[in-house]
Amino acid sequence: SQTIHQWPATLVQPVGSPLSLECTVEGTSNPNLYWYRQAAGRGLQLLFYSVGIGQISSEVPQNLSASRPQDRQFILSSKKLLLSDSGFYLCAWSRDRGSHGYTFGSGTRLTVV
Amino acid sequence: QKEVEQDPGPLSVPEGAIVSLNCTYSNSAFQYFMWYRQYSRKGPELLMYTYSSGNKEDGRFTAQVDKSSKYISLFIRDSQPSDSATYLCAMKSATGFQKLVFGTGTRLLVSP
């Protein structure tokens, strides 16, 4: 069966510090991968998605970047965090076009102080 | 206008009540419809998946799609306190690589 791992669960970082969140998927190959941010009352905001190694599409211009160095690994990064980067970050994967939905990880609660 | 509209709630009901959660949408190309349940500080989990119009039942949950009205519903029978969570609708079109479009979620509180 397929599983998705996301870590860390909680992170407190000072403003201006770098960020690296990692997500890995097991039990499938060539998944579509997604990074979302969820802010209270604002729903899920798609940040990046990837359909293959090295292929990254950005949805929203921001202080973040994403990379996919391996087939089942998706990394969300920032060189210098802003207070506005605080939020709940979710990684997800889907088969093909995602017509049967996405499977989400357990999320990372990021607080920038 | 947002592509998907969902009342944020909270919706408070007593245990055992029938719950109706709804979303409206504007894009007539949407063909795939899903409902996710999200507990506090957890990732969303897929509850129900429906293709095109019609009903789908799974235990206490029934998903209903009315494409003519661009309206989808999730019914929960015999609601339990463990059903207290945020419910998000999601949908996508059938053509190309179209991303899932999510509603903002409805918070449901079931009191014992």
Side-chain angles (χ1 to χ4, degrees), chain B residues 59-110:
Chain B
R60 297 185 294 112
F61 299 90
T62 299
Q64 196 172 78
V65 175
D66 182 350
K67 291 190 66 182
S68 62
S69 301
K70 297 190 179 68
Y71 188 88
I72 69 170
S73 301
L74 177 70
F75 298 97
I76 307 174
R77 292 183 298 280
D78 187 25
S79 57
Q80 303 295 309
S82 58
D83 295 327
S84 297
T86 297
Y87 291 80
L88 300 100
C89 62
M91 48 199 79
K92 74 183 294 292
S93 69
T95 55
F97 183 79
Q98 299 296 327
K99 298 170 288 293
L100 272 186
V101 180
F102 285 87
T104 53
T106 298
R107 188 176 169 210
L108 172 66
L109 301 171
V110 182

Side-chain angles (χ1 to χ4, degrees), chain A residues 17-78:
Chain A
S17 64
L19 173 73
S20 180
L21 301 180
E22 190 164 340
C23 172
T24 59
V25 180
E26 294 179 355
T28 189
S29 59
N30 197 31
N32 293 327
L33 297 170
Y34 311 85
W35 277 112
Y36 280 87
R37 178 167 56 203
Q38 189 174 36
R42 296 186 63 184
L44 288 163
Q45 180 187 33
L46 179 62
L47 303 175
F48 301 94
Y49 68 92
S50 172
V51 299
I53 296 174
Q55 301 179 61
I56 307 296
S57 296
S58 174
E59 287 292 297
V60 181
Q62 61 216 318
N63 187 40
L64 302 168
S65 62
S67 62
R68 184 170 177 173
Q70 300 180 42
D71 182 43
R72 291 168 288 175
Q73 183 185 29
F74 206 22
I75 297 172
L76 182 69
S77 304
S78 174

Side-chain angles (χ1 to χ4, degrees), chain B residues 4-61:
Chain B
V4 179
E5 299 275 3
Q6 187 175 9
D7 189 323
L11 176 62
S12 296
V13 301
E15 182 176 356
I18 296 175
V19 174
S20 173
L21 302 165
N22 312 293
C23 287
T24 59
Y25 62 95
S26 58
N27 189 345
S28 58
F30 288 147
Q31 294 276 10
Y32 299 94
F33 303 93
M34 296 133 212
W35 285 96
Y36 284 82
R37 177 176 62 196
Q38 185 176 23
Y39 292 113
S40 181
R41 297 180 176 272
K42 301 291 184 183
E45 57 177 321
L46 183 63
L47 263 184
M48 301 284 286
Y49 157 84
T50 310
Y51 172 70
S52 194
S53 287
N55 293 356
K56 185 173 183 178
E57 189 172 321
D58 183 2
R60 297 185 294 112
F61 299 90

